[in-house]
Amino acid sequence: EVQLVESGGGLVQPGGSLRLSCAASGFRFDSYAMSWVRRAPGKRLEWVSAINSGGGSTNYADSVKGRFTISRDNAKNTLYLQLNNLKPEDTAVYYCARPREPHVIVIIPGADVFDYWGQGTQITVSS
């Protein structure tokens, strides 16, 4: 059974940092490029970042480039997102998502391009 479980969200002040984790199980994690996506209150789903299956190639949305870092530890079946210099507009529920096909990097926000999602973890950036 495929399962993705996000953790690490919380309340943080502007300029602060958080580190999100996504624990994966039930599939060959190291065969899949993975993505982080987010949904802010009243907004559409936004693609945030992606990383290839081996971890050597990354992509970021313009809104987070230079502030967020995606990484993975395939030995631990875990995906990470380091969020630095957080801004109020980063407030959202963050999801770990698996693309439908292995070894394919997805950089668009449409829900149809992913077949499994985590439950999400809330990040609130506020003073």
Side-chain angles (χ1 to χ4, degrees):
E1 177 181 338
V2 174
Q3 190 169 14
L4 301 169
V5 180
E6 299 96 336
S7 62
L11 176 64
V12 64
Q13 294 184 341
S17 298
L18 287 171
R19 184 173 176 84
L20 304 182
S21 297
C22 170
S25 61
F27 68 102
R28 287 294 301 269
F29 178 73
D30 61 1
S31 293
Y32 285 83
M34 300 292 294
S35 290
W36 287 98
V37 299
R38 67 185 181 185
R39 189 184 297 276
K43 303 294 184 181
R44 295 183 181 273
L45 189 71
E46 179 186 14
W47 173 83
V48 174
S49 186
I51 187 168
N52 75 322
S53 59
S57 181
T58 59
N59 292 276
Y60 300 92
D62 288 342
S63 59
V64 308
K65 195 171 299 180
R67 299 188 297 120
F68 294 4
T69 302
I70 189 171
S71 62
R72 65 193 298 160
D73 187 338
N74 285 342
K76 296 181 178 180
N77 289 341
T78 303
L79 179 72
Y80 303 98
L81 185 67
Q82 178 69 42
L83 306 90
N84 296 329
N85 192 24
L86 283 161
K87 304 178 183 298
E89 52 263 42
D90 295 319
T91 295
V93 178
Y94 286 72
Y95 301 92
C96 174
R98 190 188 85 166
R100 292 188 177 276
E101 296 186 356
H103 305 294
V104 175
I105 299 176
V106 173
I107 58 172
I108 57 177
D112 289 346
V113 305
F114 303 104
D115 60 359
Y116 288 96
W117 301 68
Q119 84 288 352
T121 186
Q122 174 73 47
I123 290 178
T124 301
V125 184
S126 176
S127 60

